[in-house]
Amino acid sequence: MRKHIILRLRASMWLQRWLTLCALTSATWVRAETTTVSEYDPAVSPTPPTGPCQLVEPTRVACEGLLALDEVAPSIPEESWSEVTTLAIENGRFLTLTLDDLLDLPSLHTLVFNQSQVSRWAVPTRKGVPAVSHLVLRECWDAEDQTLSLTRKMMLGLKGLEEIQILDCLLLNLEFSVLEAEKPLQLLRIEGGSLVCKNGNLWMLFWLESGQISVSADTTCFRHTTSLGFSLSFDGHPFLRIMGYLKEAVRDCPRVCSCEVRGMKSNGMPLQYAACEGRGVTTLPLTLPRFTSQLYLTDNNITDLDTLFTNENYRNLDHVILKNNQISYIDGDLFYNFLKNRSHNIHINLSNNRLRTFPVWALRKVHEDGKDTNLTIYNLVQLRGNPWDCRNCSFVEEFREFYQELVRHVVDILTDVAEIRCGERDTALDEQEEEEGAEDSHAGLSFLVTSPDELCPPESSTFLLKDAIYTILAVALLVFVVGLSYAVHLSKKRGQLFQLLQ
């Protein structure tokens, strides 16, 4: 099928060229009829072109609209074949390329393709093919989406290259093996265009340091496919700068984590994350890549958050995911100092830990600071799935009052409020009541949206009556004791103590 298409395209092009040749020949005859015999000189008579290529210099051939390389030699004088060193092709469309088609140009060492479709180079099967050492690709592609991929399979038939220049191309894939396998390669030069910015291309930075690669400052990034929106992608950002971020993320990543730069934020900073999930981590890592903004630590055994609040490496974070750990205490002062005066919001997910209480005052102060500075705070902390101590009525009432204040100001500092529920009793103080068969009726209640009287009801009148009875009995006993003491005192004074005792 492909061969049939090629034949049809060739036939169409040759028909167009034949019609052009006929028109040129007719024009020449007309000029010849109007020229006197004395003026006619066969040596300077114009020679119509015989193919798509022209010898523009003694060593350089320029071609237009080629479909196969075997069209080059027949288009130029045979006596110049051995002198040609450079072949430049404009608007070519090649499904397969092979040096076998250039066997008649033994001195050829440079191939230049401009605005052309270049595909796989087939391995030559004939001896004596030219030793091409320089390849230039300007605005070229090999796929329908106008992207170019230089893979080992594609370049298999073009060995011995010393220099490759890629100019203004959308380079989707450049395999390291293409360059590593060709030992003579001395320089890869990339100017303009775009490359995919990914960790798989970090090898290019090492080649840059050794001088084997040259990348211009105006070369940008693009992603062929991405789940991120355009506003967060690498598209249009300088390739060298983005690759520097990628290199730094890999170099400074903690051993138990994997780090990656996913895109660029609107403030020009990289969207960088570190994933340390399910690694059996018991403490927070002491170091992070400097631009890390998202830290994932789900499913570990972390108990202490002081590092999060005090380590300068954590100042750029805007997402900290600590679900399913063993955190049971949060220092309110450290928590507040970490949150105050931040230039951006932060979301801390503390779901499914072992928190019984929380420094609500710190959340309240952060909220008040936000009102004073007109800084909108949202999705600050997620607390679902913790065994909250609903028997601590002062904590419950303080937390509920703060939540009601947030509702009045329409501020979403807390998320999943309905899932913040009372936990089971698990303290030593509850052991006696558990032995007596007492039931924890509060477990599972969503205490921020539950009636206050249901969790911490006011003391009933029964308890008030009992207290009154105890008070009256105590007063009566006190009166009796005072009266008895006074009677003894009088009897002793009158000498009647013995009679009183009788």
Side-chain angles (χ1 to χ4, degrees):
M1 182 65 181
R2 179 178 293 182
K3 184 176 181 181
H4 179 65
I5 294 174
I6 293 175
L7 292 176
R8 290 182 59 187
L9 289 173
R10 286 184 180 178
S12 175
M13 292 186 66
W14 279 110
L15 177 59
Q16 184 177 0
R17 292 168 186 166
W18 182 79
L19 293 174
T20 302
L21 178 60
C22 290
L24 290 172
T25 304
S26 299
T28 301
W29 288 343
V30 171
R31 288 194 299 270
E33 290 177 356
T34 59
T35 304
T36 61
V37 175
S38 60
E39 294 175 341
Y40 177 74
D41 184 357
V44 296
S45 176
T47 302
T50 59
C53 301
Q54 293 185 8
L55 189 67
V56 295
E57 296 177 11
T59 61
R60 182 181 178 88
V61 175
C63 303
E64 173 80 22
L66 286 186
L67 296 178
L69 294 179
D70 59 4
E71 300 179 58
V72 177
S75 302
I76 60 176
E78 184 175 350
E79 59 271 18
S80 64
W81 288 356
S82 61
E83 304 296 327
V84 175
T85 60
T86 303
L87 173 60
I89 300 171
E90 189 93 14
N91 296 321
R93 300 293 184 271
F94 303 96
L95 298 179
T96 301
L97 295 159
T98 175
L99 291 178
D100 286 338
D101 293 339
L102 298 174
L103 187 65
D104 295 326
L105 307 176
S107 301
L108 183 67
H109 59 66
T110 301
L111 285 174
V112 181
F113 293 88
N114 294 317
Q115 297 180 338
S116 298
Q117 178 183 3
V118 292
S119 297
R120 185 175 63 90
W121 282 87
V123 177
T125 59
R126 303 167 68 180
K127 294 182 179 181
V129 297
V132 175
S133 59
H134 291 69
L135 176 65
V136 180
L137 302 172
R138 183 187 295 274
E139 298 184 39
C140 292
W141 69 94
D142 70 325
E144 293 181 358
D145 60 358
Q146 305 295 301
T147 59
L148 176 66
S149 294
L150 295 184
T151 63
R152 184 173 179 82
K153 181 178 180 181
M154 176 185 176
M155 304 295 289
L156 199 59
L158 198 60
K159 294 183 178 296
L161 289 174
E162 297 178 7
E163 182 176 328
I164 301 176
Q165 297 185 40
I166 304 173
L167 314 176
D168 299 322
C169 297
L170 291 177
L171 191 56
L172 178 63
N173 190 12
L174 176 61
E175 289 186 0
F176 175 65
S177 59
V178 171
L179 310 179
E180 187 184 40
E182 306 305 325
K183 298 301 181 183
L185 187 68
Q186 299 175 3
L187 179 64
L188 170 64
R189 177 169 159 242
I190 300 175
E191 286 192 6
S194 297
L195 291 85
V196 175
C197 293
K198 59 182 180 180
N199 287 349
N201 283 338
L202 285 176
W203 61 268
M204 297 178 66
L205 298 185
F206 297 102
W207 279 51
L208 276 167
E209 295 173 359
S210 66
Q212 292 174 278
I213 287 182
S214 170
V215 180
S216 66
D218 61 342
T219 300
T220 60
C221 295
F222 85 107
R223 279 181 177 256
H224 187 53
T225 56
T226 178
S227 59
L228 299 174
F230 179 79
S231 61
L232 295 177
S233 73
F234 295 137
D235 289 33
H237 292 274
F239 174 79
L240 292 177
R241 181 158 64 94
I242 298 301
M243 293 305 295
Y245 290 146
L246 297 182
K247 178 182 177 181
E248 185 176 322
V250 173
R251 182 192 65 200
D252 299 338
C253 190
R255 183 178 55 83
V256 295
C257 306
S258 60
C259 303
E260 183 180 346
V261 180
R262 290 180 169 178
M264 297 296 291
K265 296 187 286 189
S266 58
N267 61 2
M269 301 297 290
L271 178 62
Q272 184 170 302
Y273 81 102
C276 321
E277 300 168 301
R279 307 293 177 88
V281 176
T282 57
T283 59
L284 294 172
L286 296 179
T287 60
L288 289 173
R290 60 176 175 149
F291 293 113
T292 302
S293 57
Q294 298 182 2
L295 178 60
Y296 296 87
L297 286 158
T298 302
D299 298 326
N300 284 295
N301 296 308
I302 296 171
T303 59
D304 187 356
L305 291 185
D306 288 357
T307 300
L308 170 64
F309 303 143
T310 59
N311 194 319
E312 287 298 319
N313 290 317
Y314 288 76
R315 294 304 300 176
N316 291 322
L317 292 175
D318 54 38
H319 278 75
V320 185
I321 310 302
L322 288 157
K323 296 187 300 182
N324 302 333
N325 278 277
Q326 303 296 319
I327 301 165
S328 59
Y329 172 75
I330 293 179
D331 187 301
D333 292 320
L334 294 180
F335 180 62
Y336 171 69
N337 289 330
F338 175 69
L339 296 175
K340 72 176 182 180
N341 299 325
R342 293 182 63 87
S343 60
H344 57 275
N345 280 302
I346 184 169
H347 172 67
I348 303 175
N349 191 328
L350 293 168
S351 301
N352 301 322
N353 277 274
R354 300 180 62 186
L355 292 170
R356 303 278 292 171
T357 61
F358 195 84
V360 179
W361 68 265
L363 288 178
R364 184 187 298 276
K365 196 157 180 27
V366 170
H367 172 55
E368 293 173 352
D369 292 346
K371 289 191 299 182
D372 295 339
T373 59
N374 293 322
L375 176 63
T376 303
I377 307 294
Y378 65 94
N379 293 342
L380 173 60
V381 65
Q382 191 166 351
L383 298 170
R384 65 182 298 172
N386 284 280
W388 301 105
D389 183 9
C390 290
R391 302 178 68 201
N392 185 342
C393 289
S394 61
F395 162 69
V396 171
E397 292 172 0
E398 181 186 18
F399 208 163
R400 185 187 289 111
E401 289 176 1
F402 174 61
Y403 171 65
Q404 294 299 328
E405 182 180 348
L406 296 180
V407 172
R408 288 193 299 271
H409 290 90
V410 195
V411 177
D412 294 330
I413 286 182
L414 301 174
T415 61
D416 292 339
V417 172
E419 298 302 322
I420 298 178
R421 300 177 181 274
C422 301
E424 299 284 349
R425 296 172 179 168
D426 64 348
T427 62
L429 296 177
D430 297 327
E431 290 180 358
Q432 182 177 356
E433 294 185 12
E434 290 176 358
E435 291 176 359
E436 295 174 356
E439 295 183 359
D440 189 354
S441 60
H442 300 333
L445 286 178
S446 179
F447 66 88
L448 293 183
V449 294
T450 301
S451 172
D453 294 343
E454 187 172 347
L455 292 175
C456 297
E459 295 181 341
S460 64
S461 58
T462 302
F463 290 100
L464 293 176
L465 179 60
K466 183 185 299 184
D467 290 342
I469 293 174
Y470 288 155
T471 301
I472 293 172
L473 291 176
V475 171
L477 179 61
L478 179 61
V479 171
F480 173 75
V481 171
V482 171
L484 181 62
S485 298
Y486 181 70
V488 170
H489 172 71
L490 291 179
S491 300
K492 184 177 180 181
K493 184 177 181 181
R494 297 174 182 175
Q496 298 178 347
L497 179 60
F498 180 74
Q499 295 178 2
L500 178 64
L501 293 175
Q502 288 181 338

